[in-house]
Amino acid sequence: MGAWTHTEKTDLISEIGLPDARRERSSGVYLRGEMLVSDKYGELSAFGRFGLARESVNLFPRFASGGLYWREFSDKRPDDEAGAAFAWAHASDSLGRAVTGEEVAVELTYRWQVNERFSVQPDIQYVINPGLNPFINNALVAEIRIEGQFLPVT
């Protein structure tokens, strides 16, 4: 668990764009945990995070996420990893009635360790209510991460 704060003050959400907007410091607290769920078929771990922040200056003052992480599930591919996760963020009540609700994302990923120095990780996410913008449809996001190590492995 932990806490954070910004030393620079931020405009209040309800007054963004106003010439003499009042300003406050942004701060919050969080709790994070991870645990091994099973080691019967490789290592299956679960993780979770929860956070609260100052509602007057943060678009998403409440946040929660969690998921599962699986590795060492194949004798033929011992370094591959797979994961599934979700994230939930609740809109600040300081936004007023114009913007309400929450943004939710679900994610699936697989990291293929090609060899000792190279891996490829496709990732797919589905985002519901992205940016709390009622004019934007839900989004399907796909990406691929490629990692390479060019220096000798020690």
Side-chain angles (χ1 to χ4, degrees):
M1 80 174 126
W4 57 272
T5 189
H6 287 241
T7 55
E8 192 69 29
K9 290 185 177 181
T10 304
D11 288 350
L12 297 178
I13 286 177
S14 60
E15 298 182 13
I16 288 176
L18 296 179
D20 294 318
R22 290 175 293 155
R23 299 171 66 84
E24 291 181 1
R25 283 198 175 89
S26 181
S27 60
V29 296
Y30 62 92
L31 179 64
R32 181 185 186 286
E34 184 173 335
M35 67 180 278
L36 179 66
V37 176
S38 173
D39 59 2
K40 187 172 182 178
Y41 302 104
E43 290 184 9
L44 180 63
S45 296
F47 64 89
R49 292 178 289 193
F50 180 74
L52 297 171
R54 290 189 76 166
E55 189 144 358
S56 58
V57 292
N58 289 282
L59 177 61
F60 294 113
R62 291 180 291 285
F63 172 83
S65 67
L68 297 171
Y69 172 80
W70 193 21
R71 55 185 235 153
E72 298 177 6
F73 49 84
S74 169
D75 292 336
K76 293 179 182 177
R77 308 225 35 89
D79 296 323
D80 285 10
E81 303 169 347
F86 78 92
W88 168 87
H90 184 72
S92 172
D93 291 336
S94 295
L95 293 168
R97 291 180 180 241
V99 179
T100 60
E102 55 239 359
E103 180 178 287
V104 177
V106 291
E107 175 181 20
L108 294 173
T109 189
Y110 186 91
R111 185 171 182 264
W112 175 42
Q113 189 67 43
V114 178
N115 60 38
E116 187 178 85
R117 296 176 182 236
F118 186 72
S119 68
V120 177
Q121 181 177 358
D123 182 276
I124 190 162
Q125 301 173 23
Y126 188 71
V127 183
I128 301 165
N129 198 15
L132 305 175
N133 187 331
F135 302 106
I136 297 176
N137 294 328
N138 295 344
L140 181 63
V141 181
E143 62 186 36
I144 190 163
R145 178 179 180 165
I146 298 172
E147 292 181 41
Q149 181 177 359
F150 301 103
L151 299 175
V153 177
T154 57

